[in-house]
Amino acid sequence: MLRLRILTCLLVACGGSGTTDPLPAGGIHVLFVGNSLTYTNDLPSTVAAIATSAGDTVRVASEAGADLALIDHLNGATRAVQRIQEGGWRYVILQQGPTPPGICRDSLVLWTGLFDEKIRATGAETAVLMTWPNSSGSQAFFDQVRESFTLAAASVGGLFLPAGEAWRSAWREDPSLALYGPDGFHPSPMGTYLTALEIYERITGRDARALPVKAFVGASPLSLPSSTILLLQRAAHDANTRFPAHPTGVAPARSGIPQPASC
């Protein structure tokens, strides 16, 4: 029964694969561990491309696969554990599905702790990436998702990456922005770019608003109006300003908010 309940925490998505080549020396080394929210539009390479445009070096690798929660990586669905143990990382970014309160949240905190033991043993820092609910959910679901991932980060003294809140910041300026892809859950190229902006600013300490007015998806340029790029840069900075990098406490989940049918 527990396994059946935990299965509801998994994200149903498309296939993907991890990068296994060793990274060259220099720059900030970042390992992404996740599922299709990471490999759709190649989030890791998007972060690296933003860094390059600013004259920085962020070297990335990824262990991501379809339908994976963090426990699946720990159980050998990818080479995530082996890649962590190879060492040389500055950050290991953990990502899974939206994760509302209840068993999904409890499991996220537990699995983050298990990962953190392995990550800290190599001298790296655990980073926890807040994702987003699907487009059919209430905005209140974003609060639940943020609380789950903030709790996970706080439980290990890790870095909190409020990407979902960067989406909300962007929508406050322009509600028409198409951050979701066609399925209403996976990110559009614009959504991936905004997520990457938030990550880039937090792991480098650089102000996203000072970046060149250029957008990327994967390693390729993304055609967006300059005004939209500037808005997204402001949104990434706003989320990172409003939510601490290393949270020490989390408000309890709001009562009376219906939960989504699955994690």
Side-chain angles (χ1 to χ4, degrees):
M1 180 62 69
L2 177 60
R3 177 58 180 168
L4 289 176
R5 293 179 70 193
I6 288 176
L7 281 173
T8 66
C9 300
L10 305 183
L11 172 65
V12 177
C14 309
S17 60
T19 300
T20 58
D21 294 336
L23 299 178
I28 300 172
H29 289 168
V30 182
L31 175 64
F32 288 76
V33 176
N35 53 36
S36 56
L37 296 185
T38 285
Y39 67 68
T40 295
N41 305 318
D42 198 349
L43 174 61
S45 292
T46 306
V47 174
I50 291 170
T52 298
S53 75
D56 293 328
T57 301
V58 176
R59 303 192 189 279
V60 298
S62 177
E63 291 292 336
D67 306 344
L68 300 186
L70 293 182
I71 189 62
D72 299 300
H73 296 280
L74 288 165
N75 286 340
T78 67
R79 295 187 64 251
V81 173
Q82 294 95 312
R83 295 304 302 276
I84 291 167
Q85 292 172 338
E86 289 169 5
W89 308 107
R90 177 64 185 88
Y91 297 102
V92 177
I93 296 177
L94 305 179
Q95 174 269 309
Q96 69 170 34
T99 315
I103 189 170
C104 294
R105 177 178 289 175
D106 295 342
S107 298
L108 173 64
V109 172
L110 172 64
W111 300 336
T112 299
L114 295 174
F115 259 112
D116 186 67
E117 293 175 3
K118 302 178 187 302
I119 292 166
R120 289 189 183 277
T122 69
E125 181 174 356
T126 299
V128 182
L129 177 62
M130 174 198 170
T131 50
W132 44 83
N134 66 48
S135 61
S136 64
S138 161
Q139 280 290 310
F141 290 161
F142 275 85
D143 295 324
Q144 294 183 338
V145 174
R146 185 190 68 250
E147 289 164 2
S148 294
F149 285 94
T150 307
L151 263 175
S155 71
V156 298
L159 188 70
F160 176 53
L161 303 171
E165 288 294 343
W167 284 34
R168 295 176 94 180
S169 294
W171 281 324
R172 278 191 283 272
E173 285 204 52
D174 183 354
S176 72
L177 291 173
L179 302 179
Y180 287 109
D183 66 357
F185 184 54
H186 290 84
S188 67
M190 187 192 304
T192 294
Y193 171 63
L194 175 53
T195 301
L197 280 171
E198 184 280 316
I199 294 171
Y200 167 80
E201 180 178 272
R202 183 135 279 183
I203 66 174
T204 64
R206 312 268 192 196
D207 191 329
R209 299 171 300 175
L211 285 166
V213 186
K214 298 177 181 178
F216 301 90
V217 58
S220 301
L222 174 64
S223 179
L224 291 175
S226 296
S227 59
T228 299
I229 295 173
L230 291 169
L231 185 158
L232 298 175
Q233 292 173 347
R234 290 194 300 271
H237 181 76
D238 179 66
N240 282 330
T241 299
R242 290 187 299 113
F243 297 96
H246 293 92
T248 56
V250 184
R254 293 156 179 75
S255 60
I257 299 173
Q259 295 187 25
S262 69
C263 302

